[in-house]
Amino acid sequence: MISKIAKVALALVFIGSAVFGQSLADAKKAIDAEQYQKAKGMLKNLTVTQPTNDENIFYLGWVYLIQDYIDSAKTTFTKGIAVNPKSALNYVGLGAVALSGNDNTGATSNFNQAITNTGKKESTPYLYIGKAYLLDAKDGKFPPAKANAAIDALTKGKAVNPKDAEVLVALGNAYRSQLKSNDAYDAYQAALALDPKSPAANVATGVLWRYADNFSDSEKQFQAAIAIDPNYGPAYRELAETDLTEAQTNIKVASAKIKEGVENYKKFLSLTDQSPESLMRYADFLVNAGDYVTLQEVATNLSKSGTTNPRIYRYLGYAAYENKDYPAGLTAMNTWFAKAQPNRILPRDYGYLGRLQIASGQDTAKGIETLKKYADLDTTQVQDAYTEIVNVYKKRKDYLNTAKTYEEMTTKVHKPLVTEHIYEGIYYYFSFSSKNPDSTLLIKADSALSYVQRVMVEKPVPTEYVYRARVASVRDGDLTNMKGLPKPYYEKVIELYTATAPSTETNKKDFAEAYAYLGTYAQYHDKDDAKAMEYFTKAKEIDPNNKQAAYYFDSKNAPAASTPAARPKKAGTK
């Protein structure tokens, strides 16, 4: 019995040693390796065993912040200040919390208080002020003002302690976020000179090479980090991201690199704690890799894990849309919008919500407005978003709204959109009818098409001239009073197709239409039967089914007096 008691007591000693022997340095190493659950466990123990150590409390709050548990982070930093009212780091933490809520005034106030409480040779508060600004990226994009604030803080930290390698790595990251590659490289090299065994500095340098599409040197840096610490998970994650980037730039290796990237990401997860936060970052990777089947599996499992982070619903919505499970996707996206803080909503979220609203058939009009909001929030997506809206109206044969949408698109996109202007003109032309005889529609159609004529002087587009001719034909009057308004446009069509033969059946029909119009003009305006015969003959040779040419020859062959050839039928009508 005594022996058994002794063994139990000894076991308890070892258990206690495992828990209480962990230091803040161990916890910080776990944070750097993105083993957040492990770090959180260590720090919780440290805050119990060393309750007056405000630094332990700060790092626990920092882990909460990284994991996007903002309320828990704020509570923890506040506790740190209660323990030590002069705690510079915990004021930094409160400033970071304010930043996450777009409270720039509160952030500045707390950061200033942190600096007031900072020792003359202490660089760590400056380091975490810089990191706080870099945490505030939205969808991977760093606003220049935030990046510059980070650079300012980190430069001050470097001045205070030039030998702080962590400050130099963070400074390089800030420069890199603004594509200041030379400055970033210098900062990383300075960090490696101070600490050649820094996995973080090697990984950061590898990311910089990836930005330059230098995938070979990028991989070498990641392998160097792995050689220093085979369990340094971020190196595998960045390898995965590099595989994905290379896949997106080189179609020949795309399939193999995406598979390699997925395996590297799995390796990263195996080296971390597989926490919901790590899995959600994996979900981000799967979104970029376009692996929505796996994304749906990961997101579904996360939704069952009991985690309180609502970002899971974003992934469920994205995956369900891509996998054509529209009702489930709409429910997920509505939940995400209901639960997420407004500053956490991304422009892309509006894109998926709009698509799901349209695809589910529940509220198409609302979906169109949501897609427009998406385009307003991310101007790089205007053309794609409006193209999706155009396709909705085309499917409905709503020509007027199709034309208006093309017009809105061409107004918002600040670059020449030749094809879109042509379609704008075509659909305004289609919108004019006996039911809607609004002459301004023809003016809009001609204006859009004339734009194409102006920008394509050296490479004219036959289709544009065909439709300008058709618009002019509507305005020209009847056969007994032909003004010849379409004539110069049809002549240009003939010139272009004579120089380069039409390649499609539609082009051939347009070519024949041009000759048929000239035949009609020669017959009824010029009263030149020989010319009319010549033009109608060419029209029939190009397109034996041309109705104007057929009518002309039928009339010529009829025993009774010739009836005027029918004017060209308006394109797009039945």
Side-chain angles (χ1 to χ4, degrees):
M1 179 63 69
I2 292 172
S3 176
K4 289 180 180 178
I5 291 172
K7 289 178 181 178
V8 171
L10 186 61
L12 289 173
V13 168
F14 283 121
I15 291 171
S17 298
V19 173
F20 298 115
Q22 292 167 344
S23 66
L24 179 58
D26 295 325
K28 289 171 68 175
K29 185 176 180 180
I31 294 172
D32 187 44
E34 299 182 21
Q35 297 169 337
Y36 299 128
Q37 292 298 105
K38 179 180 178 180
K40 195 156 56 177
M42 293 179 182
L43 290 163
K44 284 181 177 180
N45 286 326
L46 287 169
T47 57
V48 171
T49 58
Q50 303 171 19
T52 60
N53 187 323
D54 59 289
E55 195 174 1
N56 294 336
I57 296 171
F58 164 75
Y59 284 103
L60 178 59
W62 189 257
V63 174
Y64 283 130
L65 189 66
I66 292 171
Q67 293 181 313
D68 213 21
Y69 297 129
I70 305 302
D71 291 341
S72 297
K74 185 176 182 179
T75 299
T76 306
F77 295 136
T78 303
K79 181 180 177 182
I81 291 170
V83 166
N84 178 9
K86 296 288 186 180
S87 175
L89 282 174
N90 281 290
Y91 274 109
V92 171
L94 287 179
V97 168
L99 270 185
S100 72
N102 290 330
D103 179 6
N104 293 328
T105 301
T108 301
S109 175
N110 280 296
F111 290 154
N112 287 341
Q113 185 61 53
I115 297 305
T116 299
N117 297 346
T118 298
K120 290 183 178 180
K121 294 185 178 182
E122 189 180 358
S123 57
T124 304
Y126 294 101
L127 168 64
Y128 281 92
I129 290 172
K131 285 188 174 185
Y133 281 113
L134 296 178
L135 278 178
D136 201 39
K138 297 292 185 292
D139 200 21
K141 297 175 182 176
F142 293 86
K146 298 289 175 68
N148 289 334
I151 290 168
D152 180 64
L154 293 162
T155 301
K156 290 175 180 175
K158 177 184 173 184
V160 167
N161 182 4
K163 295 186 177 182
D164 189 331
E166 280 191 83
V167 167
L168 291 167
V169 172
L171 181 59
N173 292 344
Y175 282 131
R176 190 182 70 206
S177 75
Q178 300 306 295
L179 304 181
K180 296 179 179 179
S181 300
N182 290 336
D183 291 330
Y185 182 78
D186 289 343
Y188 294 146
Q189 290 305 296
L192 284 169
L194 289 168
D195 183 5
K197 295 294 185 180
S198 168
N202 276 288
V203 167
T205 307
V207 174
L208 187 63
W209 286 126
R210 181 174 75 224
Y211 276 31
D213 289 345
N214 184 344
F215 304 118
S216 176
D217 283 339
S218 180
E219 185 173 342
K220 287 177 183 177
Q221 292 293 154
F222 301 138
Q223 294 296 348
I226 292 167
I228 294 166
D229 182 356
N231 295 320
Y232 191 70
Y236 289 97
R237 188 196 61 243
E238 295 302 342
L239 263 174
E241 297 287 358
T242 302
D243 289 329
L244 178 59
T245 304
E246 188 172 1
Q248 292 169 340
T249 57
N250 185 353
I251 195 170
K252 292 181 180 179
V253 300
S255 179
K257 282 295 175 182
I258 287 175
K259 289 178 182 177
E260 187 178 312
V262 170
E263 290 306 310
N264 278 319
Y265 217 107
K266 288 178 180 177
K267 178 67 173 177
F268 160 69
L269 290 172
S270 74
L271 292 172
T272 64
D273 41 41
Q274 300 237 18
S275 64
E277 290 71 32
S278 295
L279 289 169
M280 283 193 287
R281 189 157 183 174
Y282 180 41
D284 284 326
F285 174 83
L286 293 170
V287 169
N288 293 326
D291 187 348
Y292 294 102
V293 173
T294 305
L295 176 65
Q296 193 157 21
E297 293 173 3
V298 170
T300 300
N301 290 334
L302 278 168
S303 69
K304 297 174 181 177
S305 68
T307 180
T308 57
N309 195 319
R311 203 163 81 237
I312 293 165
Y313 294 102
R314 170 191 284 159
Y315 303 127
L316 285 171
Y318 286 15
Y321 172 78
E322 298 292 349
N323 295 326
K324 304 188 186 307
D325 189 359
Y326 303 129
L330 184 58
T331 298
M333 288 307 293
N334 282 333
T335 303
W336 164 239
F337 273 80
K339 288 180 174 289
Q341 295 178 7
N343 63 303
R344 297 296 176 186
I345 302 293
L346 303 177
R348 183 168 55 180
D349 296 339
Y350 286 99
Y352 273 99
L353 177 61
R355 294 181 192 113
L356 284 162
Q357 287 167 332
I358 292 168
S360 64
Q362 292 190 18
D363 197 338
T364 302
K366 191 173 183 180
I368 288 170
E369 289 307 309
T370 305
L371 283 177
K372 287 185 177 182
K373 184 168 185 177
Y374 168 46
D376 288 341
L377 291 170
D378 185 351
T379 55
T380 65
Q381 298 299 317
V382 169
Q383 191 171 348
D384 288 344
Y386 275 83
T387 298
E388 292 184 60
I389 297 169
V390 156
N391 290 335
V392 173
Y393 288 129
K394 282 182 179 179
K395 191 174 180 180
R396 294 178 170 183
K397 298 188 184 301
D398 185 343
Y399 298 142
L400 182 55
N401 275 314
T402 300
K404 287 179 177 179
T405 304
Y406 272 122
E407 182 180 13
E408 200 170 346
M409 182 201 302
T410 56
T411 301
K412 288 176 177 288
V413 176
H414 301 296
K415 65 178 181 179
L417 296 178
V418 173
T419 301
E420 288 75 9
H421 271 93
I422 290 175
Y423 281 127
E424 179 188 337
I426 289 172
Y427 281 99
Y428 269 126
Y429 167 69
F430 284 169
S431 301
F432 182 86
S433 66
S434 58
K435 293 181 180 180
N436 189 16
D438 182 354
S439 61
T440 62
L441 298 175
L442 296 177
I443 294 171
K444 283 178 172 289
D446 194 63
S447 175
L449 294 164
S450 66
Y451 168 87
V452 180
Q453 184 175 334
R454 291 195 305 274
V455 300
M456 299 296 287
V457 174
E458 296 183 3
K459 203 172 181 182
V461 181
T463 302
E464 173 257 322
Y465 287 96
V466 170
Y467 276 93
R468 289 203 79 182
R470 289 172 182 171
V471 170
S473 182
V474 175
R475 299 162 58 194
D476 197 21
D478 57 33
L479 293 174
T480 60
N481 187 29
M482 295 181 74
K483 301 181 184 68
L485 298 180
K487 188 170 181 286
Y489 303 120
Y490 278 127
E491 287 175 337
K492 186 67 174 180
V493 173
I494 291 170
E495 175 192 326
L496 294 172
Y497 280 137
T498 299
T500 303
S503 58
T504 68
E505 288 302 313
T506 299
N507 295 156
K508 289 177 183 178
K509 288 178 181 179
D510 292 345
F511 195 13
E513 179 184 317
Y515 272 117
Y517 172 82
L518 293 185
T520 302
Y521 187 82
Q523 183 181 11
Y524 291 101
H525 182 275
D526 295 342
K527 311 298 182 184
D528 188 336
D529 287 338
K531 274 290 181 187
M533 174 66 75
E534 177 187 343
Y535 289 136
F536 279 121
T537 298
K538 287 185 177 180
K540 186 177 181 180
E541 288 173 352
I542 295 166
D543 178 13
N545 297 317
N546 182 274
K547 292 182 179 179
Q548 283 70 46
Y551 189 89
Y552 174 80
F553 288 109
D554 287 347
S555 300
K556 283 291 183 184
N557 296 330
S562 174
T563 303
R567 68 186 301 168
K569 189 176 182 181
K570 179 179 174 182
T573 61
K574 295 181 179 179

